[in-house]
Amino acid sequence: MTGSLFVVQALNGLQYGVLLFLLAAGLTLVLGIMNFVNLAHGSFYMLGAYLGAAVYATSSSFVLAGVAAVTGTLAIGIAVERTTLIKFYARDHLYQVLATVGLILFFNETARILWGSPAIYMRAPQGFTGAINLMGILYPSYRFLVIVVGIIVAVALYILIHHTKIGMLTRAGAANPRMVSVLGVNIRLLNTVLFGLGAALAGLAGLMAAPILAVQPGMGDNVIITVLVVIVVGGIGSIRGAFFGALIVGFVDTIGRVYLPIVLNQFMDRDVADATGSALASMLIYLFMAVVLTVRPKGLFPMGR
Amino acid sequence: MLLFPESLSLRSPRCIAVAALLALLALMPPIANATGGPFYVTLSLRILIFALAAASLNLLLGYGGLVSFGHALYLGIGAYVVGILSFHGVHNGWLHVAVTLALSAIIALLTGLVCLRTSGIAFIMITLAFAQMFYFLATSLKYYGGDDGLAVARRSDFEPAFSIQSNTGLYYVTVIVLAATLYLSWRLVHSRLGRVLRGANLNVRRMEALGFPVLRYRLVAFVIAGCVCGLAGLLLGNLARFASPAYMAWTVSGDLIVMIILGGVATIIGPLIGAIVYVNLETIVAAYTQHWMIVLGPFILLIALFAKRGIYGSFLVWAKRMDSAR
């Protein structure tokens, strides 16, 4: 029984991890190349969830919802990058933070005006409402779908980054943007493409998360901070770091939330153990980040510069 | 000369402006009670408390170039010290202050040791993450209200020295704390610590080559800024009679940064001016529409785009030109 609980929780951790990876992948590329801190990345996640939920509610086609979420956030991402963020690349980080905070407030309020403050719940697509049998262990099939989609995207990104020309330029750009630019590559354009790709991945993550979590204004804000932890742990600019960082953070967070109260129960009162356990569990990934940074200030998989 | 760390004539526009501002702040309660009523005292108190928090952050962000995006953490610490201690029936104000300072210093020291090992974007992200960590800690403290926060039964008790039970009393205490903080940070900026901080902002490597242990100086500044902001949190908890996880939210850290940039980065009075303008603007827009953030978001974007020196920073440039013209 405890063994199957562990497997289910490990799968939940994996599912959370791949969602974090979808968000971290796009963000870390822009961070690495343009040295630009885009806190509004979580807004694309929120918009993806809303667009997907809205299209799914009217068309009841999950594929259409996916197309809407991905192309919608792609278009919004490129528009925001071209009109606004491009003006901040040469500026101090301080102003980049401020500008993207302004964007977050704007997008959150836009969502509130369009769809209202209360959370919207989206049903899982047809055929994925039940559970599947994984060697005797029942697991919700929609969560399994999330894991599969996440891994497919990760593999596709791996091929894109390591086996195509765009990927080569991206890796070179993350290592030394100025040199790549001097060699005649339009790094601004490359960045716009990557920014749009990142926004679309965030939109996809939002759509995939929508049937599991509540869709509400500001849903991107908390998750983006976890994504920042992922990026710091993995190493800024590194897609490999983002992948392993996301899986580790997803796993540590999920397992910690389930097992810390159980473990503490052995030593103390039930009430105290539950309270301390949940408090500790919510701090766990940050403590983990602190430990990683103490040992390796540049993260686990730093970019070679 | 002994009183001012810079040579400054008492009749310079700078001195006159600051004196006028302080006089206005000192006269605020009687003016408010004569015209608009107690609401304006509460509003001014909010402004002053946020000015205090922003001034402490400006030490790091403006002078030190250390963009901390988690400074609201200490606002929460101060408020929760008041909340939790008075929840357990401890109302002694001096004890509240001592615990706030000690706790802020310890947290700033420990998180600072981790954060200051990094720089640039990583520093921003890590300070944000630590603040968020304490935010989640506060929401998971079910015993102390969790998500909903914790009501403060009674304000900190400083009697017989003075009393902050009335808003007017709290107001004058806050004005004095703020004025003292601004004066001391003016002195600090011109002290050895301040010079090392500013030097490291321009060129860390050169400061280290000169033999200054930059990390240690920055850590001291980090702890000072944390303690002052902790005091602001204590005042905020007393004003609202409430300790809420929302005080530590990342948006509050963002608000503090907006105030600094609006008022003038790396100026002593800037954060105060920024707090006055920003809190008033927020209040006015919120009175017109519940969707005030749709106005505020683009406003913040515009500030980021155009505010190079901020209000007080631009005034200083103008004042300098007036001085040299004379």
Side-chain angles (χ1 to χ4, degrees):
Chain A
M1 187 61 214
T2 46
S4 70
L5 174 69
F6 181 79
V7 173
V8 167
Q9 292 306 334
L11 283 170
N12 280 343
L14 183 62
Q15 176 251 308
Y16 185 40
V18 298
L19 272 185
L20 288 178
F21 170 70
L22 288 181
L23 284 163
L27 192 55
T28 200
L29 287 176
V30 175
L31 269 172
I33 293 186
M34 296 314 280
N35 202 12
F36 177 78
V37 54
N38 176 26
L39 296 174
H41 199 66
S43 295
F44 301 128
Y45 170 81
M46 177 189 74
L47 290 174
Y50 268 114
L51 288 173
V55 170
Y56 187 61
T58 49
S59 71
S60 55
S61 155
F62 197 70
V63 176
L64 265 185
V67 171
V70 170
T71 54
T73 48
L74 177 76
I76 295 170
I78 288 182
V80 168
E81 201 263 354
R82 280 275 126 174
T83 56
T84 314
L85 298 184
I86 208 162
K87 295 188 172 65
F88 289 93
Y89 286 151
R91 300 281 297 277
D92 198 78
H93 292 322
L94 179 60
Y95 296 95
Q96 302 176 346
V97 164
L98 207 60
T100 50
V101 164
L103 281 178
I104 295 174
L105 297 182
F106 176 75
F107 281 124
N108 280 350
E109 204 57 48
T110 307
R112 201 164 288 144
I113 290 171
L114 289 178
W115 290 289
S117 293
I120 294 174
Y121 294 93
M122 180 176 159
R123 276 183 300 109
Q126 237 161 25
F128 290 97
T129 46
I132 59 163
N133 195 334
L134 295 170
M135 289 176 289
I137 294 162
L138 287 178
Y139 192 71
S141 53
Y142 182 73
R143 283 175 185 262
F144 192 73
L145 176 71
V146 173
I147 296 176
V148 171
V149 169
I151 289 176
I152 291 173
V153 171
V155 171
L157 266 183
Y158 176 82
I159 294 171
L160 178 75
I161 299 288
H162 287 272
H163 296 282
T164 66
K165 194 176 174 198
I166 285 197
M168 186 183 74
L169 294 175
T170 307
R171 280 178 291 138
N176 194 336
R178 197 179 287 177
M179 183 62 78
V180 174
S181 178
V182 166
L183 289 174
V185 175
N186 187 346
I187 197 134
R188 281 281 165 88
L189 183 66
L190 176 67
N191 185 63
T192 305
V193 170
L194 290 176
F195 193 94
L197 179 71
L201 286 178
L204 178 66
L207 171 80
M208 298 309 290
I212 302 175
L213 305 167
V215 181
Q216 55 188 345
M219 67 184 277
D221 304 347
N222 286 335
V223 80
I224 205 64
I225 291 166
T226 314
V227 170
L228 294 182
V229 172
V230 165
I231 290 175
V232 169
V233 166
I236 291 172
S238 154
I239 202 107
R240 203 158 58 103
F243 183 71
F244 289 112
L247 292 193
I248 297 171
V249 167
F251 194 77
V252 166
D253 191 59
T254 310
I255 295 295
R257 273 175 211 283
V258 177
Y259 282 96
L260 264 180
I262 296 178
V263 171
L264 288 176
N265 241 325
Q266 316 279 334
F267 307 108
M268 46 179 99
D269 263 12
R270 194 194 166 82
D271 287 351
V272 184
D274 283 352
T276 344
S278 66
L280 262 182
S282 59
M283 295 168 74
L284 203 59
I285 57 168
Y286 304 103
L287 296 175
F288 173 70
M289 176 193 74
V291 172
V292 168
L293 284 175
T294 314
V295 185
R296 305 185 71 159
K298 288 204 179 273
L300 293 175
F301 302 92
M303 293 299 295
R305 291 228 172 192
Chain B
M1 266 311 270
L2 278 175
L3 198 60
F4 290 173
E6 299 172 69
S7 69
L8 193 62
S9 150
L10 278 175
R11 282 188 307 174
S12 67
R14 245 174 101 182
C15 270
I16 295 169
V18 172
L21 191 65
L22 287 178
L24 180 70
L25 289 182
L27 291 175
M28 191 64 206
I31 295 175
N33 284 328
T35 54
F39 168 73
Y40 288 105
V41 179
T42 318
L43 180 66
S44 321
L45 258 167
R46 271 186 71 80
I47 291 173
L48 294 185
I49 290 169
F50 276 103
L52 186 60
S56 71
L57 176 60
N58 191 30
L59 199 62
L60 299 175
L61 181 150
Y63 292 102
L66 302 166
V67 185
S68 165
F69 195 21
H71 209 60
L73 156 63
Y74 303 99
L75 275 180
I77 299 289
Y80 266 94
V81 165
V82 178
I84 291 178
L85 283 182
S86 63
F87 180 77
H88 290 291
V90 180
H91 299 294
N92 186 329
W94 301 110
L95 194 64
H96 290 184
V97 171
V99 174
T100 301
L101 290 180
L103 208 57
S104 304
I106 291 169
I107 291 173
L109 191 70
L110 291 180
T111 57
L113 270 175
V114 176
C115 301
L116 291 170
R117 288 167 66 92
T118 62
S119 58
I121 290 181
F123 183 81
I124 299 175
M125 300 201 287
I126 295 163
T127 47
L128 175 60
F130 273 127
Q132 203 67 10
M133 174 173 106
F134 281 94
Y135 173 83
F136 283 124
L137 178 66
T139 57
S140 66
L141 291 174
K142 294 279 180 297
Y143 189 65
Y144 298 115
D147 259 335
D148 300 329
L150 180 64
V152 177
R154 209 172 121 204
R155 283 184 177 169
S156 305
D157 190 353
F158 290 99
E159 279 134 56
F162 53 87
S163 161
I164 59 167
Q165 302 306 324
S166 73
N167 273 352
T168 315
L170 182 61
Y171 181 89
Y172 281 113
V173 170
T174 309
V175 167
I176 291 168
V177 171
L178 178 66
T181 303
L182 293 183
Y183 175 70
L184 288 177
S185 50
W186 189 25
R187 302 219 54 137
L188 190 143
V189 166
H190 290 276
S191 71
R192 185 186 181 83
L193 171 63
R195 283 174 196 280
V196 174
L197 265 186
R198 286 189 284 164
N201 184 13
L202 294 175
N203 193 330
V204 185
R205 236 183 245 180
R206 202 169 283 180
M207 290 312 280
E208 276 170 350
L210 285 170
F212 291 104
V214 170
L215 179 70
R216 226 179 294 165
Y217 277 93
R218 283 182 165 168
L219 201 55
V220 172
F222 207 73
V223 170
I224 293 175
C227 286
V228 173
C229 194
L231 282 184
L234 183 136
L235 292 166
L236 185 62
N238 272 309
L239 167 67
R241 289 171 184 253
F242 201 73
S244 162
Y247 298 164
M248 292 189 229
W250 62 270
T251 43
V252 180
S253 297
D255 286 343
L256 294 179
I257 296 181
V258 176
M259 288 171 199
I260 293 175
I261 291 179
L262 190 57
V265 180
T267 60
I268 296 296
I269 305 294
L272 172 58
I273 306 279
I276 292 175
V277 175
Y278 188 68
V279 176
N280 272 313
L281 191 82
E282 218 178 50
T283 314
I284 292 169
V285 179
Y288 277 103
T289 163
Q290 75 180 99
H291 298 296
W292 49 281
M293 282 210 275
I294 202 116
V295 181
L296 211 61
F299 175 71
I300 291 174
L301 196 70
L302 289 178
I303 291 175
L305 203 53
F306 296 115
K308 294 268 160 62
R309 290 200 190 91
I311 298 170
Y312 189 70
S314 308
F315 167 76
L316 282 186
V317 172
W318 175 81
K320 201 170 236 170
R321 210 184 308 143
M322 291 298 285
D323 262 354
S324 55
R326 223 183 311 166

